[in-house]
Amino acid sequence: TPVRVPHNLIKAVTGARKVVGLSGTLSRYDAEQLAAGRSFSYIQRGYLTPKENRPVYYNPVDPDLRKDPQTLADKILEIYSANPVPTLVHVTYEMQGVLAQLLGKIRPLVNNTTNKAAVKEKFLRYGGVWLASGCAEGVDLPYDACRQVIIPVLMYPDRGQLFVQKRVGLPDGDLWYKVRTIQNTIQRLGRGLRAEDDWCVSHILDPTFSRLYPQVQDQFASMNIIWEKK
């Protein structure tokens, strides 16, 4: 299990005269890694969905309370009360139970590793708030199924894992770390925006986003970030 996938392995897997890779979150950095020293062209297109249909509000909590459950619960409740539409809230499994208790009066849905599909069906039927864990990918909630997404805390690669420690220690490790974090964020935001004529309002509560995103925003299609909510 190499810390960095060897070029020879990449070339063996992608051995062809021409290779085309398609992904909504493929960064320029990743395209270069996949090229493995070969010539390549990186073509980045904008979102099909109009800008006004995909606002992402930077709505930060106090930096000192970035992961405080009560602070996050209060902000989630404030956002949902102002716009009570089907709302997906991306949380970790660790945070999920605590927030579910604090938000008990709005009876949020919660999932575990085995019942995600069943909880999704409840969300499609009843709406409300879903405190969703492990749902950055593989969950499609088009149109009225989800009109609001909230990201309380960014999902940074876990520095407690040996692989992450070693990967960050390589010369390009800092860029890799930042790109992976924003990639995950874009994936999470995309759960409620599934078609050209779809619309979904999003909120990012993590105060570290304003520092991180400008450093790697050139790696991805431009998001409609609203830095100051009117």
Side-chain angles (χ1 to χ4, degrees):
T1 307
V3 176
R4 188 198 300 276
V5 181
H7 279 189
N8 286 341
L9 178 56
I10 295 175
K11 290 177 180 178
V13 173
T14 59
R17 189 172 64 86
K18 289 185 178 180
V19 178
V20 179
L22 300 173
S23 171
T25 55
L26 181 67
S27 67
R28 187 178 304 275
Y29 169 78
D30 287 315
E32 183 177 358
Q33 304 306 306
L34 291 171
R38 298 167 293 185
S39 62
F40 72 99
S41 296
Y42 177 72
I43 302 172
Q44 186 183 90
R45 301 298 187 195
Y47 289 88
L48 294 176
T49 310
K51 183 177 180 180
E52 60 271 17
N53 287 18
R54 47 181 177 85
V56 180
Y57 291 99
Y58 174 59
N59 201 351
V61 299
D62 186 319
D64 293 332
L65 301 171
R66 174 175 167 261
K67 291 187 177 181
D68 177 63
Q70 186 64 65
T71 300
L72 296 175
D74 290 345
K75 181 68 79 170
I76 292 167
L77 183 59
E78 175 189 321
I79 293 170
Y80 181 68
S81 297
N83 187 31
V85 295
T87 300
L88 187 72
V89 183
H90 289 283
V91 297
T92 63
Y93 287 107
E94 182 181 8
M95 186 186 297
Q96 190 183 57
V98 179
L99 287 178
Q101 276 192 323
L102 295 173
L103 293 168
K105 66 180 182 180
I106 60 174
R107 303 176 66 183
L109 295 170
V110 297
N111 67 280
N112 56 39
T113 57
T114 62
N115 69 349
K116 194 181 302 181
V119 174
K120 175 186 173 181
E121 289 305 312
K122 286 185 180 180
F123 185 63
L124 291 173
R125 179 176 298 181
Y126 301 113
V129 174
W130 179 7
L131 298 177
S133 298
C135 293
E137 300 177 358
V139 175
D140 294 337
L141 300 168
Y143 301 109
D144 288 340
C146 179
R147 290 304 190 187
Q148 188 162 249
V149 170
I150 301 175
I151 298 180
V153 180
L154 298 186
M155 183 72 77
Y156 287 88
D158 184 1
R159 287 183 180 266
Q161 294 182 2
L162 183 59
F163 166 77
V164 175
Q165 294 172 15
K166 291 183 175 182
R167 188 64 185 83
V168 170
L170 295 179
D172 62 343
D174 184 60
L175 176 59
W176 172 87
Y177 187 78
K178 294 170 181 176
V179 166
R180 288 294 171 268
T181 303
I182 294 301
Q183 261 176 340
N184 177 270
T185 302
I186 295 172
Q187 289 281 9
R188 289 164 131 189
L189 294 171
R191 297 311 93 204
L193 196 66
R194 310 305 299 170
E196 185 175 357
D197 59 345
D198 202 352
W199 64 266
C200 185
V201 176
S202 299
H203 298 264
I204 295 178
L205 312 186
D206 193 326
T208 67
F209 179 77
S210 62
R211 171 181 53 81
L212 175 64
Y213 179 65
Q215 297 181 54
V216 294
Q217 63 178 328
D218 62 325
Q219 296 282 334
F220 305 98
S222 180
M223 294 194 289
N224 182 21
I225 308 295
I226 312 298
W227 293 107
E228 293 186 12
K229 188 175 181 181
K230 297 180 181 180

